[in-house]
Amino acid sequence: EVQLVESGGGLVQPGRSLKLSCAASGFTFSDYNMAWVRQAPKKGLEWVATISYDGSSTYYRDSVKGRFTISRDNAKSTLYLQMDSLRSEDTATYYCARHAADYWGQGVMVTVSS
Amino acid sequence: DVVLTQTPVSLLISLGGQASISCRSSQSLVHSNGNTYLHWYLQKPGQSPQLLIYQVSNRFSGIPDRFSGSGSGTDFTLKISRVEPEDLGVYYCLQRTHNPPTFGGGTKLELK
């Protein structure tokens, strides 16, 4: 059974950093491109970042470029999202998903507020 | 970015009734490889989105045949027949043909 379990969320002040993790199981993690998708409270879904199966290629939406870094450790079957210089508009539930968007984690809440 | 316009924004349906949701794209979703990467999701309250239909018309594993998808190019439709209580929530379309992937604004399905 495919499982994606996010962790690392919480309350953080504007300008500070937070690192999200996503532990994958039930499939060969190193075979799949992976992604982070977010959803602000009571809002729709927004694709944030993508990473290729081997980590050689990444994509970021414009609003997070230069502030967020997606990475992975295939030996640990874990996906990461390093979020720096956080802004109030980054407040959202962050979901880890396979790039095909077929399987999603349960999500982790990030609140950016002073 | 590709804009996906979903209509209606909300839908009131009786149990056992039929629902139809439209997703229109600002540009063709046919990939250069010939595939069309338009998918449909249901997000139930407090849950993550679950895949219902992938590549326009293919039901994902475990999805009942009450759900069907159709369309081509820029116009796509999700139909739900014989609506059941567990079908309630917000439906989204997603396109992965063009970068960045983008979602429709959502359609909330509620009981009449």
Side-chain angles (χ1 to χ4, degrees):
Chain A
E1 181 198 1
V2 173
Q3 282 202 314
L4 298 167
V5 180
E6 301 96 335
S7 60
L11 172 63
V12 62
Q13 292 179 326
R16 303 300 289 262
S17 299
L18 206 58
K19 187 172 186 175
L20 306 182
S21 299
C22 170
S25 60
F27 65 103
T28 304
F29 181 71
S30 56
D31 285 350
Y32 288 84
N33 297 345
M34 298 293 295
W36 288 97
V37 178
R38 68 183 179 185
Q39 185 172 36
K42 307 291 187 189
K43 298 291 186 185
L45 298 158
E46 189 172 77
W47 201 277
V48 175
T50 305
I51 188 166
S52 60
Y53 67 98
D54 61 357
S56 63
S57 173
T58 57
Y59 157 80
Y60 300 93
R61 68 177 303 106
D62 284 349
S63 59
V64 308
K65 233 176 256 187
R67 299 188 301 120
F68 289 13
T69 304
I70 187 172
S71 62
R72 63 191 298 158
D73 184 334
N74 284 346
K76 294 182 177 177
S77 296
T78 303
L79 178 71
Y80 302 101
L81 186 67
Q82 175 69 43
M83 303 185 292
D84 298 323
S85 303
L86 282 160
R87 305 169 181 168
S88 57
E89 55 263 36
D90 296 318
T91 293
T93 296
Y94 285 74
Y95 297 101
C96 155
R98 296 203 311 195
H99 183 258
D102 49 0
Y103 290 96
W104 298 54
Q106 85 289 349
V108 63
M109 184 68 203
V110 173
T111 304
V112 184
S113 174
S114 52
Chain B
D1 295 1
V2 173
V3 176
L4 296 182
T5 303
Q6 272 185 249
T7 54
V9 172
S10 66
L11 209 42
L12 283 174
I13 299 291
S14 302
L15 285 178
Q18 176 165 297
S20 182
I21 300 170
S22 168
C23 178
R24 286 194 171 149
S25 174
S26 60
Q27 55 185 278
S28 174
L29 298 184
V30 180
H31 194 275
S32 55
N33 66 12
N35 292 329
T36 300
Y37 296 98
L38 185 284
H39 317 306
W40 290 97
Y41 296 82
L42 166 60
Q43 187 174 32
K44 299 179 184 180
Q47 295 186 19
S48 55
Q50 60 178 107
L51 178 62
L52 302 172
I53 301 285
Y54 65 95
Q55 291 184 38
V56 181
S57 59
N58 300 282
R59 273 187 300 279
F60 191 54
S61 174
I63 301 303
D65 60 7
R66 300 184 294 101
F67 292 88
S68 64
S70 63
S72 63
T74 60
D75 254 315
F76 304 90
T77 301
L78 174 71
K79 283 190 164 63
I80 311 153
S81 59
R82 306 184 303 280
V83 168
E84 297 185 7
E86 58 264 32
D87 300 338
L88 305 182
V90 181
Y91 289 80
Y92 293 95
C93 53
L94 162 69
Q95 70 80 22
R96 288 194 310 109
T97 296
H98 303 284
N99 266 329
T102 50
F103 293 88
T107 296
K108 189 171 187 179
L109 183 61
E110 298 176 290
L111 277 182
K112 192 183 287 183

